[in-house]
Amino acid sequence: MKKKFVFMLTASVLASACFASCGKKSEDETQKADTVTDDRSLEETADKSGNVNLKFWCDEDEMALFQELIETFADDHKSEAAIKVEYEPIAAADCKNVFLEDVNNGADVFCMPDDQLLTMAASGVLEEISNADTIAAANLEGAVEAVTLEGKMYAYPLTADNGYFLYYDKAYFTDQDVKTLDRILEVCAQNGKKFVMDWSSGWYLYSFFGNTGLNLTLHEDGLTNICDWNTTEGKITGEDVAKGMLAIAKNPGFLSTQSAADAMKNGTAIAAVSGVWDIPAAKQAFGEDYGACKMPTYTCAGRQIQMASFTGYRILGVNSYSKHKAWAERLAEYLSGEECQKLRFERAERGPSNKNASASDAIANNAAISAALAQAEFGVLQKVGQKYWAPVTEFGNTMAAGNPSHIPLQDLLDQMVERITE
């Protein structure tokens, strides 16, 4: 019951923000959408000329491959309908904002990150998908969770690689070295090099708090945060984490930077925390000695704590207002299926969410994708309210600078948590 309350309340909060652009479906529209999905054949959803006109959004650098896949889909079904697709390069990260500005001109099928799911579902753009049981059985558990609200799936899992892990140069590190951050920093300092990580981002900074027993989650309203990172009780306190971070910051082998790619390519970094988007930079920098693995442990309260992460998934959404929703769903299911995910991995190194595709020998032999999948075991979905980001950025910058004003750590933690939970 609580979960249902969370979703319905969030929907009502968001409705005022998106009503002007998307309005409400009329009873006729709702009945029509239901009829198309449940009762009418795919052929009947085409217009009188037999055409099925769809619009597709994805990142510009993925457009060529998606277009190739979609053209294959259209050719395979040419006896059923004349499928014509308009392609627009809308970045997945911008999908929600662009969509809600004008739902009537939104794509029929679109790529987006999983953290936009709640807003898109609450606004009515996404509805429960067809064939949910089949889609769920074919995909990794975390990917299914990422597209699920109230026990219902609202989108199609596409990738399982939108997280972070460790890149490293094998010319400097052994497999044993990269298991602990203490050893990584030692090797970096000995060689006049750096371990780099972006401490100005709450996305990365979560890694220090995530596996300590401290809590960060959403309230029942789905908007505000619950956070006890300033706790003074328990086996590990907030101050223990802060002290661990300060010890790292003061190590000559550490550098906080917003561009791991630049640090690797210019020779500054021989170990870096980043994601699959920096595969080219890491390969260029480290050459034959390029390596990747899950995040290391770090020293906190006298023990080794496995660094956590926010995990993320790319997903495909289907516009509930689509005039050809049945065909849009069929296209989304095809693009997110095993064979297409395998091809996207082979051609673009996109980590698959499909169970069979992710279990292949090719994935096992790909250092970065294997690292992303291994780190997912120690990660959680990014479900935080907007008030989380700014105070954590300020805290991270202060820690990275070594707390130059010598503010008591408990005060810094109290101030951060107070703002996170406003």
Side-chain angles (χ1 to χ4, degrees):
M1 291 299 293
K2 284 186 177 180
K3 287 187 176 179
K4 185 172 184 179
F5 174 75
V6 170
F7 182 68
M8 294 303 292
L9 179 58
T10 304
S12 67
V13 172
L14 291 168
S16 61
C18 65
F19 181 81
S21 60
C22 64
K24 292 183 178 179
K25 288 185 179 178
S26 67
E27 291 182 6
D28 290 342
E29 285 177 307
T30 301
Q31 183 178 3
K32 179 181 178 182
D34 291 342
T35 303
V36 167
T37 302
D38 298 333
D39 301 325
R40 295 175 64 186
S41 69
L42 290 167
E43 289 84 350
E44 287 178 301
T45 69
D47 60 30
K48 291 181 180 180
S49 66
N51 292 332
V52 172
N53 297 309
L54 301 173
K55 184 185 293 185
F56 180 80
W57 287 356
C58 71
D59 287 87
E60 187 169 9
D61 64 348
E62 294 190 292
M63 186 63 76
L65 180 53
F66 270 121
Q67 185 170 350
E68 179 182 331
L69 294 171
I70 292 170
E71 288 174 354
T72 298
F73 174 83
D75 187 63
D76 288 344
H77 298 284
K78 62 185 178 182
S79 65
E80 301 170 70
I83 301 171
K84 299 179 180 179
V85 179
E86 177 185 354
Y87 302 90
E88 291 187 1
I90 303 296
D94 299 329
C95 180
K96 176 187 69 176
N97 293 335
V98 175
F99 216 115
L100 295 183
E101 286 178 0
D102 187 0
V103 169
N104 292 325
N105 286 317
D108 298 273
V109 183
F110 46 91
C111 297
M112 66 180 190
D114 67 272
D115 63 344
Q116 296 181 9
L117 183 82
L118 178 59
T119 302
M120 295 290 269
S123 68
V125 172
L126 297 179
E127 294 181 337
E128 184 180 6
I129 67 172
S130 303
N131 298 327
D133 290 344
T134 300
I135 303 301
N139 284 276
L140 299 171
E141 183 179 352
V144 174
E145 181 185 353
V147 298
T148 299
L149 297 168
E150 307 283 322
K152 299 178 180 179
M153 293 178 66
Y154 283 80
Y156 298 80
L158 185 64
T159 73
D161 60 9
N162 197 29
Y164 47 89
F165 47 87
L166 181 74
Y167 287 108
Y168 64 98
D169 188 337
K170 292 182 178 180
Y172 294 88
F173 299 101
T174 66
D175 292 344
Q176 188 67 29
D177 289 336
V178 294
K179 291 182 177 180
T180 69
L181 189 51
D182 288 345
R183 179 57 182 162
I184 292 170
L185 291 168
E186 182 181 11
V187 171
C188 288
Q190 289 173 349
N191 290 277
K193 300 292 184 179
K194 302 293 183 181
F195 158 78
V196 300
M197 184 177 179
D198 184 5
W199 282 19
S200 70
S201 168
W203 197 54
Y204 292 105
L205 219 65
Y206 174 80
S207 62
F208 293 103
F209 290 90
N211 282 326
T212 60
L214 304 184
N215 185 41
L216 171 68
T217 189
L218 279 172
H219 258 295
E220 289 185 347
D221 61 9
L223 298 172
T224 55
N225 301 303
I226 297 171
C227 181
D228 67 355
W229 287 2
N230 62 334
T231 185
T232 59
E233 301 177 354
K235 294 181 179 179
I236 296 178
T237 66
E239 192 167 343
D240 289 330
V241 176
K243 288 178 178 177
M245 292 178 65
L246 272 184
I248 295 166
K250 293 177 180 179
N251 191 295
F254 170 76
L255 175 67
S256 177
T257 177
Q258 293 182 349
S259 180
D262 288 345
M264 287 188 286
K265 289 190 293 185
N266 66 26
T268 299
I270 56 174
V273 174
S274 191
V276 294
W277 51 90
D278 275 340
I279 289 175
K283 286 184 174 180
Q284 178 184 334
F286 304 149
E288 294 181 355
D289 293 312
Y290 155 77
C293 64
K294 71 173 181 64
M295 298 282 280
T297 63
Y298 81 105
T299 299
C300 179
R303 66 187 73 184
Q304 290 297 304
I305 301 297
Q306 171 62 50
M307 294 180 74
S309 61
F310 277 136
T311 56
Y313 300 84
R314 288 296 178 96
I315 61 181
L316 279 177
V318 170
N319 188 350
S320 67
Y321 295 86
S322 173
K323 294 179 181 179
H324 304 290
K325 185 181 176 185
W327 275 107
E329 285 192 325
R330 195 169 178 181
L331 176 59
E333 186 170 348
Y334 165 78
L335 292 174
S336 62
E338 179 180 347
E339 294 307 314
C340 285
Q341 288 202 27
K342 284 181 177 178
L343 186 61
R344 278 167 44 78
F345 167 71
E346 293 168 4
R347 300 270 290 275
E349 291 192 277
R350 307 296 183 185
S353 64
N354 179 273
K355 290 178 181 177
N356 292 338
S358 65
S360 69
D361 290 339
I363 292 293
N365 293 325
N366 184 289
I369 302 301
S370 294
L373 293 173
Q375 180 59 33
E377 179 182 347
F378 306 102
V380 298
L381 289 172
Q382 177 192 302
K383 292 186 178 180
V384 295
Q386 286 301 312
K387 292 292 183 72
Y388 167 79
W389 302 103
V392 177
T393 290
E394 291 183 19
F395 176 79
N397 286 336
T398 298
M399 292 294 100
N403 191 18
S405 299
H406 304 291
I407 300 171
L409 295 180
Q410 191 61 49
D411 290 351
L412 288 172
L413 290 161
D414 289 342
Q415 293 165 15
M416 174 178 66
V417 170
E418 181 179 5
R419 293 174 60 195
I420 289 173
T421 56
E422 286 179 344

